[in-house]
Amino acid sequence: MSNNYNYPIRDVVSGTWLKDIGMVVIPKNASTTVSEWISKENTDYTEPLPEGKRLFCILRDPVARFESGFFWLQSYRYDLELGDINQFVRDLHWRINEVGSISYHLFPQIYFTGHDPARFERIFHIDKLDECHAWLESQLHLNKPMKHYNVGTYGKELTEKSKAYLRDVFRCDYEFMEKALS
């Protein structure tokens, strides 16, 4: 299958900043956990990217991120009728285009990161959040535990057909992750 979905890439980056370190916020990739750990008193949510910031981000398997996004929307967006997750996958592009308020949580990660992993000082996988925590503690001279927010359990499993479709849709993320985490 070829991926011709042509999702946009943002020209500006918004994020959470502390000192000279900026986290590029990607929904459903531990951004709440890290932002809360840094603490609201020390953060500055800005757009566009301030000069001189060292960037880091946290990536997640795109299918797992999609599941998390779906169940987050199901839990917190009572105004949306999402239905069955596999039907939602079949309707994904229509849903993103017709219900724009959900696209933020479902766009590919490269919408937030861009295509070049070299722009980041560090890129972490969400499964290695403890490494991210240790790095931030060393960089920011903070010594406090990181509480994990929004740790969810998911309902009905995606079918293999839905997973295959999502892997194709989010192929751009898998390619970025391969470059960034190898």
Side-chain angles (χ1 to χ4, degrees), residues 81-83 88 91-100 102:
E81 286 290 326
L82 300 179
F88 188 86
D91 298 338
L92 181 60
H93 297 291
W94 172 83
R95 293 280 198 151
I96 286 175
N97 290 322
E98 294 298 315
V99 189
I102 68 171

Side-chain angles (χ1 to χ4, degrees), residues 15-18 23 25 29-45 56 58 129 132-133 136 140 142-151:
T16 299
W17 314 111
L18 183 59
M23 177 180 71
V25 173
N29 284 19
S31 55
T32 300
T33 294
V34 174
S35 295
E36 290 292 325
W37 176 79
I38 289 172
S39 90
K40 291 183 177 165
E41 298 82 38
N42 295 319
T43 59
D44 174 25
Y45 296 95
F56 78 97
I58 300 168
L129 204 51
C132 178
H133 177 231
L136 285 169
L140 302 172
L142 295 173
N143 183 19
K144 59 182 181 177
M146 186 181 287
K147 180 180 176 188
H148 296 270
Y149 290 84
N150 299 330
V151 177

Side-chain angles (χ1 to χ4, degrees), residues 96-158:
I96 286 175
N97 290 322
E98 294 298 315
V99 189
S101 62
I102 68 171
S103 62
Y104 182 74
H105 284 87
L106 301 177
F107 269 178
Q109 293 167 91
I110 63 159
Y111 173 74
F112 305 93
T113 63
H115 288 284
D116 185 10
R119 70 190 289 204
F120 295 94
E121 181 172 327
R122 295 292 302 267
I123 298 176
F124 299 94
H125 191 279
I126 198 168
D127 290 343
K128 298 189 178 194
L129 204 51
D130 290 340
E131 284 180 20
C132 178
H133 177 231
W135 179 74
L136 285 169
E137 280 192 323
S138 73
Q139 298 297 304
L140 302 172
H141 309 293
L142 295 173
N143 183 19
K144 59 182 181 177
M146 186 181 287
K147 180 180 176 188
H148 296 270
Y149 290 84
N150 299 330
V151 177
T153 55
Y154 306 129
K156 185 176 185 277
E157 294 287 319
L158 286 166

